[in-house]
mmCIF file of all heavy atoms in Angstrom:
data_model
loop_
_atom_site.group_PDB
_atom_site.id
_atom_site.type_symbol
_atom_site.label_atom_id
_atom_site.label_comp_id
_atom_site.label_asym_id
_atom_site.label_seq_id
_atom_site.Cartn_x
_atom_site.Cartn_y
_atom_site.Cartn_z
ATOM 1 N N ASP A 1350 3.017 1.961 -7.520
ATOM 2 C CA ASP A 1350 2.301 2.644 -8.602
ATOM 3 C C ASP A 1350 0.919 2.042 -8.773
ATOM 4 O O ASP A 1350 0.695 0.900 -8.423
ATOM 5 C CB ASP A 1350 3.072 2.502 -9.910
ATOM 6 C CG ASP A 1350 4.397 3.252 -9.879
ATOM 7 O OD1 ASP A 1350 4.502 4.199 -9.102
ATOM 8 O OD2 ASP A 1350 5.303 2.860 -10.628
ATOM 9 N N PRO A 1351 -0.012 2.703 -9.371
ATOM 10 C CA PRO A 1351 0.074 4.078 -9.845
ATOM 11 C C PRO A 1351 -0.294 5.059 -8.735
ATOM 12 O O PRO A 1351 -1.168 4.790 -7.936
ATOM 13 C CB PRO A 1351 -0.969 4.138 -10.953
ATOM 14 C CG PRO A 1351 -2.023 3.187 -10.494
ATOM 15 C CD PRO A 1351 -1.283 2.086 -9.736
ATOM 16 N N ALA A 1352 0.374 6.155 -8.681
ATOM 17 C CA ALA A 1352 0.077 7.215 -7.717
ATOM 18 C C ALA A 1352 0.605 8.528 -8.265
ATOM 19 O O ALA A 1352 1.600 8.557 -8.966
ATOM 20 C CB ALA A 1352 0.725 6.914 -6.370
ATOM 21 N N THR A 1353 -0.104 9.586 -7.977
ATOM 22 C CA THR A 1353 0.322 10.911 -8.404
ATOM 23 C C THR A 1353 0.192 11.859 -7.219
ATOM 24 O O THR A 1353 -0.527 11.572 -6.263
ATOM 25 C CB THR A 1353 -0.509 11.409 -9.610
ATOM 26 O OG1 THR A 1353 -0.040 12.698 -9.990
ATOM 27 C CG2 THR A 1353 -1.986 11.495 -9.278
ATOM 28 N N HIS A 1354 0.870 12.969 -7.278
ATOM 29 C CA HIS A 1354 0.858 13.921 -6.165
ATOM 30 C C HIS A 1354 -0.215 14.994 -6.309
ATOM 31 O O HIS A 1354 -0.464 15.732 -5.363
ATOM 32 C CB HIS A 1354 2.225 14.619 -6.057
ATOM 33 C CG HIS A 1354 3.325 13.691 -5.711
ATOM 34 N ND1 HIS A 1354 3.566 13.262 -4.436
ATOM 35 C CD2 HIS A 1354 4.260 13.082 -6.467
ATOM 36 C CE1 HIS A 1354 4.593 12.441 -4.423
ATOM 37 N NE2 HIS A 1354 5.043 12.312 -5.640
ATOM 38 N N PHE A 1355 -0.840 15.116 -7.481
ATOM 39 C CA PHE A 1355 -1.760 16.230 -7.724
ATOM 40 C C PHE A 1355 -3.078 15.738 -8.303
ATOM 41 O O PHE A 1355 -3.124 14.751 -9.033
ATOM 42 C CB PHE A 1355 -1.140 17.238 -8.702
ATOM 43 C CG PHE A 1355 0.182 17.775 -8.239
ATOM 44 C CD1 PHE A 1355 1.359 17.309 -8.785
ATOM 45 C CD2 PHE A 1355 0.251 18.714 -7.227
ATOM 46 C CE1 PHE A 1355 2.580 17.774 -8.363
ATOM 47 C CE2 PHE A 1355 1.472 19.194 -6.783
ATOM 48 C CZ PHE A 1355 2.637 18.721 -7.357
ATOM 49 N N GLY A 1356 -4.157 16.458 -7.992
ATOM 50 C CA GLY A 1356 -5.440 16.207 -8.624
ATOM 51 C C GLY A 1356 -6.323 15.217 -7.892
ATOM 52 O O GLY A 1356 -5.980 14.711 -6.822
ATOM 53 N N ALA A 1357 -7.469 14.944 -8.518
ATOM 54 C CA ALA A 1357 -8.483 14.092 -7.894
ATOM 55 C C ALA A 1357 -8.012 12.659 -7.691
ATOM 56 O O ALA A 1357 -8.509 11.959 -6.823
ATOM 57 C CB ALA A 1357 -9.747 14.105 -8.744
ATOM 58 N N GLN A 1358 -7.067 12.190 -8.486
ATOM 59 C CA GLN A 1358 -6.568 10.825 -8.347
ATOM 60 C C GLN A 1358 -5.247 10.752 -7.584
ATOM 61 O O GLN A 1358 -4.590 9.718 -7.583
ATOM 62 C CB GLN A 1358 -6.425 10.177 -9.726
ATOM 63 C CG GLN A 1358 -7.756 9.925 -10.408
ATOM 64 C CD GLN A 1358 -8.651 9.012 -9.573
ATOM 65 O OE1 GLN A 1358 -8.221 7.968 -9.097
ATOM 66 N NE2 GLN A 1358 -9.883 9.420 -9.373
ATOM 67 N N SER A 1359 -4.863 11.851 -6.940
ATOM 68 C CA SER A 1359 -3.612 11.824 -6.180
ATOM 69 C C SER A 1359 -3.757 10.889 -4.987
ATOM 70 O O SER A 1359 -4.858 10.645 -4.492
ATOM 71 C CB SER A 1359 -3.242 13.227 -5.700
ATOM 72 O OG SER A 1359 -4.070 13.634 -4.642
ATOM 73 N N TYR A 1360 -2.648 10.372 -4.522
ATOM 74 C CA TYR A 1360 -2.704 9.426 -3.407
ATOM 75 C C TYR A 1360 -3.153 10.070 -2.111
ATOM 76 O O TYR A 1360 -3.512 9.369 -1.164
ATOM 77 C CB TYR A 1360 -1.366 8.707 -3.234
ATOM 78 C CG TYR A 1360 -0.227 9.591 -2.808
ATOM 79 C CD1 TYR A 1360 0.036 9.814 -1.475
ATOM 80 C CD2 TYR A 1360 0.589 10.195 -3.753
ATOM 81 C CE1 TYR A 1360 1.082 10.625 -1.078
ATOM 82 C CE2 TYR A 1360 1.645 11.002 -3.370
ATOM 83 C CZ TYR A 1360 1.881 11.210 -2.038
ATOM 84 O OH TYR A 1360 2.916 12.018 -1.665
ATOM 85 N N ILE A 1361 -3.139 11.398 -2.040
ATOM 86 C CA ILE A 1361 -3.611 12.061 -0.821
ATOM 87 C C ILE A 1361 -5.069 12.494 -0.923
ATOM 88 O O ILE A 1361 -5.628 12.994 0.037
ATOM 89 C CB ILE A 1361 -2.725 13.263 -0.445
ATOM 90 C CG1 ILE A 1361 -2.709 14.297 -1.566
ATOM 91 C CG2 ILE A 1361 -1.331 12.809 -0.076
ATOM 92 C CD1 ILE A 1361 -1.998 15.587 -1.198
ATOM 93 N N SER A 1362 -5.700 12.276 -2.074
ATOM 94 C CA SER A 1362 -7.105 12.627 -2.234
ATOM 95 C C SER A 1362 -7.968 11.617 -1.477
ATOM 96 O O SER A 1362 -7.798 10.409 -1.633
ATOM 97 C CB SER A 1362 -7.500 12.610 -3.710
ATOM 98 O OG SER A 1362 -8.905 12.749 -3.844
ATOM 99 N N PRO A 1363 -8.916 12.099 -0.670
ATOM 100 C CA PRO A 1363 -9.761 11.169 0.082
ATOM 101 C C PRO A 1363 -10.722 10.382 -0.804
ATOM 102 O O PRO A 1363 -11.281 9.379 -0.373
ATOM 103 C CB PRO A 1363 -10.516 12.074 1.058
ATOM 104 C CG PRO A 1363 -10.493 13.421 0.426
ATOM 105 C CD PRO A 1363 -9.218 13.493 -0.374
ATOM 106 N N THR A 1364 -10.923 10.818 -2.054
ATOM 107 C CA THR A 1364 -11.848 10.122 -2.943
ATOM 108 C C THR A 1364 -11.154 9.234 -3.966
ATOM 109 O O THR A 1364 -11.815 8.489 -4.680
ATOM 110 C CB THR A 1364 -12.739 11.136 -3.691
ATOM 111 O OG1 THR A 1364 -11.902 12.012 -4.454
ATOM 112 C CG2 THR A 1364 -13.583 11.942 -2.718
ATOM 113 N N ALA A 1365 -9.844 9.302 -4.060
ATOM 114 C CA ALA A 1365 -9.107 8.508 -5.051
ATOM 115 C C ALA A 1365 -9.154 7.032 -4.684
ATOM 116 O O ALA A 1365 -8.972 6.659 -3.526
ATOM 117 C CB ALA A 1365 -7.665 8.978 -5.140
ATOM 118 N N GLN A 1366 -9.436 6.195 -5.693
ATOM 119 C CA GLN A 1366 -9.455 4.757 -5.476
ATOM 120 C C GLN A 1366 -8.681 4.059 -6.585
ATOM 121 O O GLN A 1366 -8.672 4.507 -7.725
ATOM 122 C CB GLN A 1366 -10.879 4.220 -5.465
ATOM 123 C CG GLN A 1366 -11.679 4.626 -4.259
ATOM 124 C CD GLN A 1366 -13.030 3.945 -4.229
ATOM 125 O OE1 GLN A 1366 -13.562 3.546 -5.254
ATOM 126 N NE2 GLN A 1366 -13.582 3.803 -3.042
ATOM 127 N N LEU A 1367 -8.055 2.960 -6.229
ATOM 128 C CA LEU A 1367 -7.376 2.116 -7.195
ATOM 129 C C LEU A 1367 -8.434 1.275 -7.912
ATOM 130 O O LEU A 1367 -9.575 1.194 -7.453
ATOM 131 C CB LEU A 1367 -6.360 1.234 -6.477
ATOM 132 C CG LEU A 1367 -5.221 1.999 -5.797
ATOM 133 C CD1 LEU A 1367 -4.444 1.085 -4.877
ATOM 134 C CD2 LEU A 1367 -4.313 2.623 -6.835
ATOM 135 N N PRO A 1368 -8.090 0.634 -9.020
ATOM 136 C CA PRO A 1368 -9.069 -0.167 -9.752
ATOM 137 C C PRO A 1368 -9.762 -1.243 -8.899
ATOM 138 O O PRO A 1368 -10.909 -1.600 -9.168
ATOM 139 C CB PRO A 1368 -8.238 -0.809 -10.870
ATOM 140 C CG PRO A 1368 -7.128 0.152 -11.096
ATOM 141 C CD PRO A 1368 -6.808 0.719 -9.741
ATOM 142 N N ASP A 1369 -9.087 -1.733 -7.853
ATOM 143 C CA ASP A 1369 -9.705 -2.757 -7.001
ATOM 144 C C ASP A 1369 -10.557 -2.165 -5.881
ATOM 145 O O ASP A 1369 -11.079 -2.879 -5.037
ATOM 146 C CB ASP A 1369 -8.650 -3.700 -6.431
ATOM 147 C CG ASP A 1369 -7.682 -3.013 -5.476
ATOM 148 O OD1 ASP A 1369 -7.828 -1.808 -5.201
ATOM 149 O OD2 ASP A 1369 -6.752 -3.696 -5.009
ATOM 150 N N GLY A 1370 -10.698 -0.832 -5.852
ATOM 151 C CA GLY A 1370 -11.560 -0.171 -4.877
ATOM 152 C C GLY A 1370 -10.857 0.314 -3.622
ATOM 153 O O GLY A 1370 -11.443 1.033 -2.825
ATOM 154 N N ARG A 1371 -9.597 -0.088 -3.437
ATOM 155 C CA ARG A 1371 -8.866 0.354 -2.252
ATOM 156 C C ARG A 1371 -8.315 1.764 -2.465
ATOM 157 O O ARG A 1371 -8.062 2.175 -3.589
ATOM 158 C CB ARG A 1371 -7.691 -0.577 -1.955
ATOM 159 C CG ARG A 1371 -8.087 -1.958 -1.531
ATOM 160 C CD ARG A 1371 -6.888 -2.828 -1.244
ATOM 161 N NE ARG A 1371 -6.083 -2.972 -2.460
ATOM 162 C CZ ARG A 1371 -4.811 -3.331 -2.476
ATOM 163 N NH1 ARG A 1371 -4.177 -3.603 -1.356
ATOM 164 N NH2 ARG A 1371 -4.150 -3.446 -3.618
ATOM 165 N N SER A 1372 -8.109 2.477 -1.352
ATOM 166 C CA SER A 1372 -7.447 3.773 -1.429
ATOM 167 C C SER A 1372 -5.942 3.537 -1.535
ATOM 168 O O SER A 1372 -5.447 2.431 -1.284
ATOM 169 C CB SER A 1372 -7.744 4.603 -0.174
ATOM 170 O OG SER A 1372 -7.076 4.047 0.948
ATOM 171 N N HIS A 1373 -5.215 4.578 -1.904
ATOM 172 C CA HIS A 1373 -3.760 4.465 -1.965
ATOM 173 C C HIS A 1373 -3.193 4.167 -0.579
ATOM 174 O O HIS A 1373 -2.230 3.412 -0.454
ATOM 175 C CB HIS A 1373 -3.139 5.735 -2.550
ATOM 176 C CG HIS A 1373 -3.482 5.938 -3.982
ATOM 177 N ND1 HIS A 1373 -2.886 5.219 -4.997
ATOM 178 C CD2 HIS A 1373 -4.371 6.756 -4.589
ATOM 179 C CE1 HIS A 1373 -3.381 5.591 -6.159
ATOM 180 N NE2 HIS A 1373 -4.288 6.528 -5.942
ATOM 181 N N LEU A 1374 -3.802 4.750 0.461
ATOM 182 C CA LEU A 1374 -3.351 4.478 1.831
ATOM 183 C C LEU A 1374 -3.548 3.006 2.172
ATOM 184 O O LEU A 1374 -2.659 2.369 2.748
ATOM 185 C CB LEU A 1374 -4.092 5.367 2.821
ATOM 186 C CG LEU A 1374 -3.764 5.145 4.300
ATOM 187 C CD1 LEU A 1374 -2.278 5.361 4.565
ATOM 188 C CD2 LEU A 1374 -4.600 6.057 5.169
ATOM 189 N N ASP A 1375 -4.712 2.449 1.818
ATOM 190 C CA ASP A 1375 -4.962 1.028 2.073
ATOM 191 C C ASP A 1375 -3.945 0.152 1.340
ATOM 192 O O ASP A 1375 -3.425 -0.820 1.892
ATOM 193 C CB ASP A 1375 -6.373 0.628 1.641
ATOM 194 C CG ASP A 1375 -7.455 1.210 2.526
ATOM 195 O OD1 ASP A 1375 -7.170 1.542 3.692
ATOM 196 O OD2 ASP A 1375 -8.597 1.326 2.038
ATOM 197 N N HIS A 1376 -3.663 0.491 0.092
ATOM 198 C CA HIS A 1376 -2.697 -0.276 -0.698
ATOM 199 C C HIS A 1376 -1.314 -0.224 -0.066
ATOM 200 O O HIS A 1376 -0.631 -1.255 0.050
ATOM 201 C CB HIS A 1376 -2.659 0.261 -2.129
ATOM 202 C CG HIS A 1376 -1.724 -0.472 -3.021
ATOM 203 N ND1 HIS A 1376 -0.653 0.138 -3.629
ATOM 204 C CD2 HIS A 1376 -1.674 -1.767 -3.401
ATOM 205 C CE1 HIS A 1376 0.000 -0.758 -4.357
ATOM 206 N NE2 HIS A 1376 -0.598 -1.923 -4.230
ATOM 207 N N THR A 1377 -0.907 0.954 0.374
ATOM 208 C CA THR A 1377 0.401 1.102 1.017
ATOM 209 C C THR A 1377 0.459 0.291 2.309
ATOM 210 O O THR A 1377 1.428 -0.427 2.556
ATOM 211 C CB THR A 1377 0.705 2.586 1.294
ATOM 212 O OG1 THR A 1377 0.679 3.297 0.054
ATOM 213 C CG2 THR A 1377 2.056 2.768 1.966
ATOM 214 N N ALA A 1378 -0.585 0.397 3.124
ATOM 215 C CA ALA A 1378 -0.624 -0.350 4.382
ATOM 216 C C ALA A 1378 -0.587 -1.856 4.119
ATOM 217 O O ALA A 1378 0.150 -2.588 4.790
ATOM 218 C CB ALA A 1378 -1.864 0.018 5.179
ATOM 219 N N ASP A 1379 -1.348 -2.332 3.142
ATOM 220 C CA ASP A 1379 -1.353 -3.755 2.800
ATOM 221 C C ASP A 1379 0.036 -4.218 2.359
ATOM 222 O O ASP A 1379 0.485 -5.310 2.726
ATOM 223 C CB ASP A 1379 -2.367 -4.055 1.692
ATOM 224 C CG ASP A 1379 -3.809 -3.896 2.144
ATOM 225 O OD1 ASP A 1379 -4.066 -3.834 3.366
ATOM 226 O OD2 ASP A 1379 -4.688 -3.819 1.259
ATOM 227 N N THR A 1380 0.720 -3.397 1.571
ATOM 228 C CA THR A 1380 2.060 -3.748 1.088
ATOM 229 C C THR A 1380 3.053 -3.811 2.240
ATOM 230 O O THR A 1380 3.848 -4.756 2.340
ATOM 231 C CB THR A 1380 2.528 -2.746 0.019
ATOM 232 O OG1 THR A 1380 1.593 -2.757 -1.067
ATOM 233 C CG2 THR A 1380 3.915 -3.091 -0.497
ATOM 234 N N VAL A 1381 3.019 -2.834 3.129
ATOM 235 C CA VAL A 1381 3.932 -2.810 4.276
ATOM 236 C C VAL A 1381 3.682 -4.020 5.182
ATOM 237 O O VAL A 1381 4.628 -4.695 5.625
ATOM 238 C CB VAL A 1381 3.807 -1.490 5.064
ATOM 239 C CG1 VAL A 1381 4.566 -1.547 6.381
ATOM 240 C CG2 VAL A 1381 4.294 -0.327 4.210
ATOM 241 N N ILE A 1382 2.426 -4.337 5.432
ATOM 242 C CA ILE A 1382 2.093 -5.495 6.269
ATOM 243 C C ILE A 1382 2.593 -6.781 5.626
ATOM 244 O O ILE A 1382 3.154 -7.648 6.301
ATOM 245 C CB ILE A 1382 0.575 -5.549 6.540
ATOM 246 C CG1 ILE A 1382 0.188 -4.400 7.474
ATOM 247 C CG2 ILE A 1382 0.166 -6.898 7.132
ATOM 248 C CD1 ILE A 1382 -1.304 -4.165 7.578
ATOM 249 N N ALA A 1383 2.417 -6.921 4.309
ATOM 250 C CA ALA A 1383 2.899 -8.114 3.603
ATOM 251 C C ALA A 1383 4.418 -8.243 3.699
ATOM 252 O O ALA A 1383 4.945 -9.347 3.882
ATOM 253 C CB ALA A 1383 2.452 -8.072 2.144
ATOM 254 N N ILE A 1384 5.128 -7.131 3.583
ATOM 255 C CA ILE A 1384 6.586 -7.149 3.685
ATOM 256 C C ILE A 1384 7.015 -7.590 5.085
ATOM 257 O O ILE A 1384 7.911 -8.425 5.243
ATOM 258 C CB ILE A 1384 7.177 -5.765 3.340
ATOM 259 C CG1 ILE A 1384 6.977 -5.470 1.850
ATOM 260 C CG2 ILE A 1384 8.652 -5.679 3.727
ATOM 261 C CD1 ILE A 1384 7.238 -4.022 1.474
ATOM 262 N N ILE A 1385 6.368 -7.055 6.110
ATOM 263 C CA ILE A 1385 6.708 -7.412 7.495
ATOM 264 C C ILE A 1385 6.416 -8.884 7.750
ATOM 265 O O ILE A 1385 7.236 -9.604 8.325
ATOM 266 C CB ILE A 1385 5.949 -6.510 8.492
ATOM 267 C CG1 ILE A 1385 6.472 -5.087 8.395
ATOM 268 C CG2 ILE A 1385 6.062 -7.061 9.923
ATOM 269 C CD1 ILE A 1385 5.631 -4.065 9.121
ATOM 270 N N ARG A 1386 5.265 -9.361 7.286
ATOM 271 C CA ARG A 1386 4.923 -10.775 7.491
ATOM 272 C C ARG A 1386 5.900 -11.692 6.767
ATOM 273 O O ARG A 1386 6.299 -12.729 7.295
ATOM 274 C CB ARG A 1386 3.497 -11.040 7.031
ATOM 275 C CG ARG A 1386 2.474 -10.478 7.990
ATOM 276 C CD ARG A 1386 1.075 -10.766 7.547
ATOM 277 N NE ARG A 1386 0.129 -10.280 8.541
ATOM 278 C CZ ARG A 1386 -1.129 -9.990 8.300
ATOM 279 N NH1 ARG A 1386 -1.621 -10.137 7.081
ATOM 280 N NH2 ARG A 1386 -1.904 -9.547 9.256
ATOM 281 N N ALA A 1387 6.286 -11.325 5.550
ATOM 282 C CA ALA A 1387 7.243 -12.139 4.799
ATOM 283 C C ALA A 1387 8.582 -12.176 5.524
ATOM 284 O O ALA A 1387 9.230 -13.226 5.605
ATOM 285 C CB ALA A 1387 7.404 -11.593 3.385
ATOM 286 N N HIS A 1388 9.001 -11.041 6.063
ATOM 287 C CA HIS A 1388 10.267 -10.973 6.809
ATOM 288 C C HIS A 1388 10.195 -11.846 8.054
ATOM 289 O O HIS A 1388 11.130 -12.589 8.362
ATOM 290 C CB HIS A 1388 10.596 -9.530 7.179
ATOM 291 C CG HIS A 1388 11.819 -9.408 8.024
ATOM 292 N ND1 HIS A 1388 13.092 -9.603 7.531
ATOM 293 C CD2 HIS A 1388 11.968 -9.132 9.343
ATOM 294 C CE1 HIS A 1388 13.969 -9.447 8.502
ATOM 295 N NE2 HIS A 1388 13.307 -9.160 9.611
ATOM 296 N N GLN A 1389 9.082 -11.773 8.773
ATOM 297 C CA GLN A 1389 8.936 -12.573 9.987
ATOM 298 C C GLN A 1389 8.907 -14.061 9.660
ATOM 299 O O GLN A 1389 9.505 -14.869 10.354
ATOM 300 C CB GLN A 1389 7.670 -12.180 10.743
ATOM 301 C CG GLN A 1389 7.783 -10.848 11.433
ATOM 302 C CD GLN A 1389 6.528 -10.459 12.179
ATOM 303 O OE1 GLN A 1389 5.435 -10.907 11.837
ATOM 304 N NE2 GLN A 1389 6.677 -9.611 13.175
ATOM 305 N N SER A 1390 8.222 -14.432 8.585
ATOM 306 C CA SER A 1390 8.157 -15.839 8.185
ATOM 307 C C SER A 1390 9.540 -16.367 7.842
ATOM 308 O O SER A 1390 9.901 -17.487 8.205
ATOM 309 C CB SER A 1390 7.233 -16.009 6.976
ATOM 310 O OG SER A 1390 5.912 -15.680 7.325
ATOM 311 N N THR A 1391 10.323 -15.549 7.133
ATOM 312 C CA THR A 1391 11.691 -15.944 6.773
ATOM 313 C C THR A 1391 12.548 -16.091 8.016
ATOM 314 O O THR A 1391 13.308 -17.049 8.148
ATOM 315 C CB THR A 1391 12.307 -14.908 5.818
ATOM 316 O OG1 THR A 1391 11.485 -14.791 4.662
ATOM 317 C CG2 THR A 1391 13.698 -15.297 5.403
ATOM 318 N N ALA A 1392 12.415 -15.153 8.943
ATOM 319 C CA ALA A 1392 13.207 -15.203 10.176
ATOM 320 C C ALA A 1392 12.859 -16.438 10.994
ATOM 321 O O ALA A 1392 13.744 -17.121 11.515
ATOM 322 C CB ALA A 1392 12.978 -13.941 11.006
ATOM 323 N N VAL A 1393 11.583 -16.774 11.086
ATOM 324 C CA VAL A 1393 11.150 -17.961 11.854
ATOM 325 C C VAL A 1393 11.667 -19.223 11.175
ATOM 326 O O VAL A 1393 12.164 -20.127 11.822
ATOM 327 C CB VAL A 1393 9.616 -17.974 11.989
ATOM 328 C CG1 VAL A 1393 9.133 -19.317 12.520
ATOM 329 C CG2 VAL A 1393 9.160 -16.853 12.902
ATOM 330 N N ALA A 1394 11.569 -19.291 9.847
ATOM 331 C CA ALA A 1394 12.020 -20.468 9.110
ATOM 332 C C ALA A 1394 13.526 -20.689 9.277
ATOM 333 O O ALA A 1394 14.005 -21.821 9.284
ATOM 334 C CB ALA A 1394 11.670 -20.331 7.635
ATOM 335 N N GLN A 1395 14.253 -19.605 9.427
ATOM 336 C CA GLN A 1395 15.707 -19.697 9.590
ATOM 337 C C GLN A 1395 16.126 -19.847 11.047
ATOM 338 O O GLN A 1395 17.294 -19.995 11.359
ATOM 339 C CB GLN A 1395 16.387 -18.462 8.982
ATOM 340 C CG GLN A 1395 16.227 -18.371 7.491
ATOM 341 C CD GLN A 1395 16.831 -17.092 6.923
ATOM 342 O OE1 GLN A 1395 17.231 -16.187 7.658
ATOM 343 N NE2 GLN A 1395 16.882 -17.003 5.613
ATOM 344 N N GLY A 1396 15.154 -19.769 11.956
ATOM 345 C CA GLY A 1396 15.462 -19.902 13.363
ATOM 346 C C GLY A 1396 15.999 -18.641 14.002
ATOM 347 O O GLY A 1396 16.511 -18.667 15.115
#
């Protein structure tokens, strides 16, 4: 969150930005990458 499906602030709008300036796509990609890195770090730590 926050994301909506309709209007100028929808996550599919090319002009919509989050308060930090990132697009919803950038935010989603950053979150997915963080999840993958955290999973890999845990797997390495556990051997």
Side-chain angles (χ1 to χ4, degrees):
D1350 293 336
T1353 181
H1354 295 280
F1355 303 103
Q1358 292 301 312
S1359 74
Y1360 66 89
I1361 60 173
S1362 171
T1364 59
Q1366 290 186 335
L1367 296 168
D1369 65 2
R1371 293 180 298 160
S1372 70
H1373 293 284
L1374 177 59
D1375 290 337
H1376 181 241
T1377 301
D1379 291 345
T1380 301
V1381 170
I1382 290 168
I1384 291 167
I1385 292 169
R1386 286 181 176 158
H1388 176 72
Q1389 287 180 334
S1390 295
T1391 302
V1393 168
Q1395 294 176 351

